C-alpha cells in the first residue's frame, strides 16, 4: 500500500461527523474526506455529492470508492490512526 497521510483537518461536529480533511495517498490528494465516529468506532468517507429531490431530505452519494474490500480496510486503519487526535476518547 502507498504512503498514507492527512492534512488540513477542519473540525466539524455534527452527529457522527468529527471533521473534514485532505487525504494524501501516494501521489494522489483527495480533498474533503470526512472523519466519523460512533460507539467507539471510527471511519473515514471519501467526498460525496449532495442530491436534492423535491419534497425530500437531501441525500449524499459516494463519488469515489475502493473496489477491493481488504485494501479499503487497510486504508481505513491507516487514516483513522493518522487522525486519532481528533477522535473522542473511548
Amino acid at each position: 500500500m502507498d504512503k498514507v497521510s492527512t492534512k488540513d483537518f477542519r473540525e466539524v461536529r455534527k452527529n457522527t461527523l468529527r471533521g473534514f480533511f485532505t487525504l494524501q495517498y501516494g501521489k494522489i490528494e483527495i480533498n474533503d474526506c470526512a472523519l466519523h465516529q460512533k460507539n467507539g468506532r471510527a471511519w473515514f468517507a471519501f467526498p460525496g455529492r449532495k442530491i436534492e429531490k423535491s419534497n425530500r431530505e437531501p441525500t449524499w452519494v459516494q463519488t469515489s470508492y475502493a473496489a477491493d474490500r481488504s485494501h479499503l480496510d487497510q486504508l481505513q486503519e491507516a487514516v483513522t490512526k493518522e487522525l486519532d487526535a481528533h477522535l473522542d476518547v473511548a
Side-chain angles (χ1 to χ4, degrees):
M1 186 166 70
D2 289 331
K3 183 179 183 317
V4 174
S5 62
T6 62
K7 67 179 188 177
D8 302 331
F9 186 82
R10 298 175 319 279
E11 184 173 319
V12 177
R13 291 196 171 247
K14 182 177 181 183
N15 300 318
T16 63
L17 181 63
R18 295 296 174 261
F20 296 98
F21 63 95
T22 297
L23 171 62
Q24 296 176 294
Y25 182 58
K27 295 181 179 182
I28 298 171
E29 284 194 2
I30 304 170
N31 297 318
D32 296 321
C33 292
L35 177 65
H36 293 271
Q37 184 179 29
K38 182 178 181 179
N39 298 330
R41 183 176 163 265
W43 68 95
F44 89 92
F46 290 113
R49 185 178 66 213
K50 187 176 182 179
I51 303 292
E52 296 196 38
K53 296 182 180 180
S54 62
N55 301 325
R56 291 190 188 174
E57 289 287 318
T59 60
W60 292 84
V61 295
Q62 202 174 12
T63 58
S64 304
Y65 66 96
D68 181 301
R69 181 61 195 207
S70 65
H71 190 78
L72 177 61
D73 290 344
Q74 291 175 15
L75 187 56
Q76 287 283 353
E77 184 176 337
V79 169
T80 54
K81 187 180 287 187
E82 273 278 318
L83 295 170
D84 187 57
H86 301 288
L87 297 171
D88 299 330
V89 176

